[in-house]
Amino acid sequence: MEEANDILVLQASYTNPIHAEAICHVLNGYAEDPMGGGHSLPAEVLSHLPEELAKRPHAFSVLAFVNGEPAGLVNCFEGFSTFACRPLVNVHDVAVMPAFRGLGLSQKMLQKVEDIARQRGCCKITLEVLEGNAVAQASYAKFGFAAGMFDPAHGRMLFWIKPL
């Protein structure tokens, strides 16, 4: 007989100590995963992350708890689409702890992100994903994301970065 899991998905409060600890726990778990770089985050980063996120009015995070344990995290930042003249949500991190994979948490968390984006009047949700992360890509496609938007007039969109 399969054990039933109590799954709770919610928008995190950066000032709630339980939420703050869960954000750091799951994000560090993601950082330690090969897809996150394979190394723990510095203690300095973890000790200040929730308070720094709280300082950013356009940041929000979604947490998933399974049977009371922190299991998943999505960190988001609101941006603005000049072409649509409306806000957008950029998904910055999506993480599910290894012990809780296969429970559909990413779909549940992305649904919460979509609900929040719709409440904010956003025109779209954007994200980036590593080319080699087939599991994440499949999850995003299942949720309705399209890879590498293609505009016939302009071509395929690419993600570039300049470290500072």
Side-chain angles (χ1 to χ4, degrees):
M1 179 181 223
E2 199 170 301
E3 181 183 328
N5 290 304
D6 177 27
I7 297 172
L8 173 65
V9 176
L10 53 78
Q11 183 174 347
S13 168
Y14 297 128
T15 57
N16 178 319
I18 293 169
H19 295 183
E21 184 178 330
I23 289 167
C24 292
H25 174 74
V26 178
L27 189 65
N28 194 55
Y30 173 50
E32 290 172 343
D33 187 90
M35 286 297 148
H39 303 285
S40 296
L41 294 172
E44 177 81 4
V45 169
L46 295 172
S47 66
H48 294 290
L49 183 62
E51 70 186 68
E52 288 299 321
L53 286 168
K55 291 178 185 177
R56 282 141 184 86
H58 296 296
F60 69 92
S61 299
V62 170
L63 285 166
F65 292 87
V66 176
N67 300 326
E69 290 186 56
L73 169 69
V74 180
N75 286 320
C76 301
F77 297 91
E78 185 179 302
F80 190 78
S81 169
T82 54
F83 281 25
C85 194
R86 291 176 50 200
L88 62 85
V89 168
N90 178 258
V91 172
H92 190 69
D93 303 301
V94 177
V96 175
M97 298 297 286
F100 301 106
R101 291 179 184 160
L103 298 177
L105 296 183
S106 66
Q107 300 296 298
K108 290 173 174 52
M109 292 187 299
L110 288 170
Q111 186 58 59
K112 183 67 171 177
V113 169
E114 182 176 322
D115 294 346
I116 294 166
R118 288 183 184 281
Q119 289 169 2
R120 293 178 175 212
C122 294
C123 63
K124 64 183 171 182
I125 302 169
T126 64
L127 57 77
E128 300 86 37
V129 61
L130 290 172
E131 190 173 37
N133 194 342
V135 172
Q137 290 177 37
S139 175
Y140 302 147
K142 180 179 178 181
F143 194 73
F145 282 93
M149 290 177 38
F150 186 79
D151 176 348
H154 300 101
R156 199 165 90 107
M157 296 174 62
L158 301 175
F159 176 74
W160 289 31
I161 187 167
K162 179 183 179 186
L164 301 178

